[in-house]
Amino acid sequence: MKEHFNKKEIIEKLTPVVENTAMRYNLIPLEVSLEKENGHWFLRIFIYRADRGVSHQDCENVTRSLGDLLDELIPFKYYLEVSSPGLDRKLKSAREYMIFKGFDVIVKVKNMLDGIETKTVKAILKDYIENKAVVIEAKENNLEYQVGLENIFSVRLDEDELINKNKGENND
């Protein structure tokens, strides 16, 4: 007999546990996902640290601290992966838009913006308007645009700018 699980309910139970654990280490969980791949369940937790990059030690601390707590909340075998979101991660949530306000981003739009000749815009993320739009300052012309979420294909951090700003820092 096959058991059925409500993935959404499990994530709802896991999220506060993950958030509390991450906070103890000065970390912010950006995403908690539970996915089935090739017959195996994977619990993936992406963490962020504002004062420096996420280290292997940060990932290990969260993994060890969550260990037995997760086993009580997840009624099946799973693999746990805790990692940084990576430099090329697409911003997915309101939380991420707020955390990365002021950062250099690359915005891919479905319809071109006035005064910009491509659908890929290098910009500074200025603001996020809940469930409606992002506000960016385009580097091409230094103009501010309010881009509706329906016109956005993706927003990701500009990894080249991040690397240039962080040169010389040791993030182990």
Side-chain angles (χ1 to χ4, degrees):
M1 177 184 275
K2 204 173 194 181
E3 289 187 65
H4 293 285
F5 303 102
N6 187 324
K7 195 167 84 167
K8 185 178 177 187
E9 280 180 17
I10 292 172
I11 292 292
E12 285 174 1
K13 290 177 187 175
L14 291 174
T15 300
V17 173
V18 170
E19 287 177 348
N20 289 335
T21 300
M23 277 183 6
R24 290 190 312 195
Y25 298 104
N26 199 26
L27 299 164
I28 301 167
L30 297 180
E31 182 180 354
V32 178
S33 70
L34 188 60
E35 304 297 328
K36 194 168 191 176
E37 295 176 11
N38 298 324
H40 300 284
W41 284 98
F42 290 87
L43 174 60
R44 293 189 175 102
I45 301 170
F46 294 97
I47 55 177
Y48 172 73
R49 186 168 186 136
D51 59 342
R52 62 171 171 77
V54 173
S55 69
H56 291 290
Q57 188 64 51
D58 292 326
C59 296
E60 187 176 329
N61 288 341
V62 171
T63 299
R64 289 182 190 274
S65 295
L66 286 173
D68 294 336
L69 296 170
L70 296 179
D71 291 340
E72 294 173 17
L73 298 171
I74 303 174
F76 48 83
K77 184 180 175 186
Y78 63 93
Y79 295 95
L80 175 62
E81 295 177 0
V82 178
S83 66
S84 77
L87 293 178
D88 61 346
R89 175 185 170 82
K90 292 178 183 175
L91 303 185
K92 297 179 182 178
S93 66
R95 173 183 264 176
E96 288 177 276
Y97 284 113
M98 297 311 291
I99 288 170
F100 296 113
K101 206 189 294 190
F103 279 65
D104 293 297
V105 293
I106 298 174
V107 182
K108 290 188 179 180
V109 293
K110 296 173 185 171
N111 301 302
M112 289 193 282
L113 305 175
D114 289 337
I116 298 179
E117 296 184 20
T118 68
K119 289 186 177 183
T120 301
V121 182
K122 287 190 171 211
I124 298 170
L125 180 59
K126 298 300 247 179
D127 205 357
Y128 174 73
I129 301 167
E130 188 76 31
N131 297 321
K132 291 188 181 182
V134 295
V135 179
I136 60 170
E137 180 183 319
K139 291 189 172 187
E140 181 176 316
N141 59 15
N142 295 322
L143 293 177
E144 213 168 86
Y145 294 88
Q146 182 173 314
V147 185
L149 296 180
E150 73 282 350
N151 190 30
I152 295 175
F153 180 71
S154 69
V155 177
R156 66 177 174 82
L157 298 177
D158 186 340
E159 62 186 286
D160 292 335
E161 289 295 324
L162 276 173
I163 289 168
N164 288 335
K165 284 181 183 174
N166 292 326
K167 272 189 177 162
E169 290 184 15
N170 181 4
N171 294 333
D172 69 90

